[in-house]
Each structure stands twice: as C-alpha cells, then as structure tokens.
Amino acid sequence: MTGFVADTTDLLARTPILLRTLLGGLPASWTDTPDVADGWRPRDVVGHLITGELTDWMTRTQRILEDGTAVPFDRFERFAMLERDAGVPLDDLLDRFAELRQANLARLATMVNETDLNRRGMHPALGEVTLRQLLAAWAVHDLDHIGQIYAGLAGSHDPDVGPWKAYLGILLRRDDPSAVPG
Amino acid sequence: MTGFVADTTDLLARTPILLRTLLGGLPASWTDTPDVADGWRPRDVVGHLITGELTDWMTRTQRILEDGTAVPFDRFERFAMLERDAGVPLDDLLDRFAELRQANLARLATMVNETDLNRRGMHPALGEVTLRQLLAAWAVHDLDHIGQIYAGLAGSHDPDVGPWKAYLGILLRRDDPSAVPG
C-alpha cells in the first residue's frame, strides 16, 4: 500500500482500535472530566466521532463523486451526540464507533482511488474543496479530537500532580491556551 | 482493582500498547513532522518516554522509599534521546519503550501500595513532593507527550486539509498556541 488514499486509510483504521486501547474499561476516575471547562468528556468526543461516521465524511465523499460542486454538503451537527448518546455506556460507544468506521472504510475502498482526489465539492461555509482535502480533514479531525480526549484524561488528575503541574503543558493549557506551546 | 495505585497503573500500562497501535508501521508521510517548529517528531517523544523509564520515574520512586526527602532526585535529562536514539528505527523504539514500561510496572507493583502514597521526596526544583504526586505526574506526563505526538501527526498533513484548517484546532495551535482552546 502506497499513495494518499492508502496512507490516509491506514491512519483512519487505527482510530477505533486506539480508542478502545485507551478508554475501554478505563476507570471513571480518568474518564469523567472534560477537556476544558464546559468542554467535552471522552464519551462526548467518541459520540462526536460517531456522528462524523453517520452523517459527515462518507456522505460528503459520495456527494463529491455524484454531484461535484452542484450540491453543497449538508451541515455537520456538532452536538448531535449529547442527546442521542445520553446514558449509553462508553464501552458501547466505542463498539458503535468501531463498527461504523470499519464499514465506512470498506465503502471508501470501493468508491475512491488516487485519480479521484482532485474532484471537487462545495462546503456550505468553506466553499470549494477537493476530495483530497476532505479525506485529509477526516484523518486530522480524528487526531484533533483524540487530543481533546487526552486533555480530559489529564484534567481528571490535575489536582493529583501537585507542583508538577508547572511542567505539564497539557494541564496548563486547560487553564490558559497560550500557556505553553505544543 | 481499585484505588489510586491500581488506577494509575491501569493507564500507564496502556501507553506502550497505544503507541504501537498508533505508530507501529505508520507511513513516514505521517511520522516525520515535529509538534511545533523546532519541536519533537513522534520518534523523539518515544525516546523521551524511554528516558523517563530508564532514569526518572522508578528511580525517583525508589529514592522516596529509601531516602525520603534527605536525598533530592537527580535531574531529568530532557534531551538524552536525541543522541542515544539517532538512527534507531521508530518500531524498535516502540519495542524498547514497551519492555521498559512493563518491567517498571512489575517493579512498582512489588514496591508500592496505597499506604505509601503520602511518603515524601525532594524534587531539585519543585521542592517536597509526595509519591502520590510522582505517580500521577508519571501518568499525566504520558498523556502530555502523546498529545505532542498527535500534534506532529496532524502537522504532517497541514498542507493537505486546505480550508478545513480553520476548523482544526490541533493545526491552528501549532502556529499560535492561543488560537483555539482545548
């Protein structure tokens, strides 16, 4: 496997395995804290990723291939998970996400190849985008939100590290985003 | 398993599995970018975590148990990996880290229990710290640096996402740490 589609799929396929490794059965002492005040707990992030599998990335891929720029993408419901997933255990959300991601990547493999990457679609706010940009954004969106999960996990133990907080940028940035780069 | 030592060990034991899941065999198109300009690539972060296993966390745990606050901790060589690991493949670094972490957690289980958590040591810069704070800092240090790996992975595809960058805080913060909270 080489090429942009294969390399992007490689990363996308790791996310559900990784989230189970990180969060499956993890004690609530780690998982009940949002990334920032009024932010998302790990379960909310997994729910948001589920929404992306249900309504965003593959739906938009299909729209690019079928309609090009003629029909703009539907908007992405960023908070759909808060009501939909209320009361669903985190481990069930991880399973649900894994099933959806696996099915979507199987579909992607049948629908898209390297020669499609410059095909264009219309984002309702961002304007014209390419399929290549959509697939890259899908993968980086995973990375972005997993980073948010890490911030929540770290935040759960903010009171426990004592003076070490001064060295832990992931905690300092929860209080002040400009505190420590990187 | 319940209690602080068990819950902390639970998270610490996941890190090597997680890093292999995320980085093992991942194409260099993802892994060759630092978290920020002049920052660390994923391989540098794994090297830094190896240093922690070799010289920091368990050495300090032992010092607290043997010497209390009488002998300050040795300083942590934050850049030891740059020379030590030059030329070592990333997959080999992942294996090395996994071996060291597993051995350290096995030692920890024989050395420490809940009743030891308030024992104190002397950090050369931070002053008095507890064993509980040391163990929490060990785990949050993992989370902090894995977050750094995510920033590097995302950064490798910064040019590919096009206008979506406006929505991807993990990319915006590489340019400006105050850009987007969380």
Side-chain angles (χ1 to χ4, degrees):
Chain A
M1 301 222 307
T2 51
F4 183 83
V5 176
D7 284 6
T8 305
T9 301
D10 185 338
L11 189 120
L12 288 167
R14 292 170 192 242
T15 299
I17 310 165
L18 194 136
L19 291 178
R20 274 178 169 150
T21 301
L22 180 60
L23 298 174
L26 192 66
S29 60
W30 283 109
T31 58
D32 265 356
T33 306
D35 59 325
V36 290
D38 297 319
W40 288 354
R41 293 163 297 164
R43 58 173 287 109
D44 303 319
V45 177
V46 177
H48 175 72
L49 293 176
I50 286 172
T51 306
E53 300 305 302
L54 287 171
T55 66
D56 186 339
W57 308 106
M58 284 305 294
T59 306
R60 292 178 171 191
T61 296
Q62 192 169 352
R63 183 148 306 167
I64 289 175
L65 297 177
E66 291 180 358
D67 299 310
T69 57
V71 183
F73 303 150
D74 300 321
R75 287 187 177 274
F76 185 28
E77 296 291 338
R78 290 189 64 246
F79 300 97
M81 71 286 180
L82 296 180
E83 188 169 335
R84 184 193 63 218
D85 299 336
V88 181
L90 174 55
D91 284 352
D92 292 355
L93 295 175
L94 294 168
D95 290 345
R96 179 80 175 124
F97 173 66
E99 286 161 18
L100 292 166
R101 173 60 58 88
Q102 190 172 19
N104 277 338
L105 292 182
R107 269 184 75 206
L108 183 73
T110 68
M111 285 169 59
V112 169
N113 62 53
E114 296 286 317
T115 61
D116 298 313
L117 292 174
N118 291 325
R119 295 176 72 169
R120 287 173 182 275
M122 185 62 68
H123 189 285
L126 299 172
E128 276 202 10
V129 291
T130 66
L131 180 56
R132 180 188 174 94
Q133 289 166 347
L134 176 72
L135 298 180
W138 188 1
V140 176
H141 181 267
D142 274 15
L143 300 173
D144 198 3
H145 284 290
I146 299 172
Q148 198 177 8
I149 289 175
Y150 275 88
L153 295 175
S156 73
H157 281 55
D158 184 313
D160 297 312
V161 303
W164 261 289
K165 180 167 176 173
Y167 295 164
L168 294 166
I170 198 169
L171 294 179
L172 298 173
R173 285 189 296 275
R174 293 179 77 242
D175 301 332
D176 171 8
S178 67
V180 184
Chain B
M1 300 221 308
T2 52
F4 184 83
V5 176
D7 284 6
T8 305
T9 301
D10 186 337
L11 189 120
L12 288 167
R14 291 170 191 241
T15 300
I17 310 166
L18 195 136
L19 291 177
R20 275 179 168 148
T21 301
L22 180 61
L23 298 174
L26 192 66
S29 60
W30 283 110
T31 58
D32 265 356
T33 305
D35 58 326
V36 291
D38 299 319
W40 288 353
R41 293 164 297 166
R43 57 173 289 110
D44 304 318
V45 177
V46 177
H48 175 71
L49 293 175
I50 286 173
T51 305
E53 298 306 302
L54 287 171
T55 65
D56 187 340
W57 309 105
M58 284 305 296
T59 308
R60 291 177 172 191
T61 296
Q62 190 167 353
R63 183 146 308 166
I64 289 175
L65 296 176
E66 289 179 359
D67 299 310
T69 57
V71 183
F73 303 150
D74 301 321
R75 287 187 177 273
F76 185 30
E77 296 290 339
R78 288 190 65 246
F79 300 98
M81 71 286 180
L82 297 179
E83 188 168 334
R84 184 193 63 216
D85 299 336
V88 181
L90 174 55
D91 284 352
D92 292 355
L93 295 175
L94 294 169
D95 290 344
R96 178 81 174 123
F97 173 65
E99 287 162 17
L100 291 166
R101 173 60 58 89
Q102 189 172 17
N104 277 338
L105 292 182
R107 268 185 75 207
L108 183 72
T110 67
M111 285 169 62
V112 168
N113 61 53
E114 296 286 316
T115 61
D116 297 312
L117 292 174
N118 290 325
R119 296 176 70 169
R120 288 174 181 273
M122 185 62 68
H123 188 286
L126 300 173
E128 276 200 11
V129 291
T130 66
L131 179 56
R132 181 186 173 94
Q133 289 166 346
L134 176 73
L135 298 181
W138 187 2
V140 176
H141 180 267
D142 274 15
L143 300 173
D144 198 3
H145 284 290
I146 299 172
Q148 196 176 10
I149 289 176
Y150 274 88
L153 295 175
S156 72
H157 282 53
D158 185 313
D160 297 311
V161 302
W164 262 289
K165 180 166 175 173
Y167 296 163
L168 294 166
I170 197 170
L171 295 179
L172 298 173
R173 284 189 296 274
R174 293 179 76 240
D175 302 331
D176 171 9
S178 67
V180 185

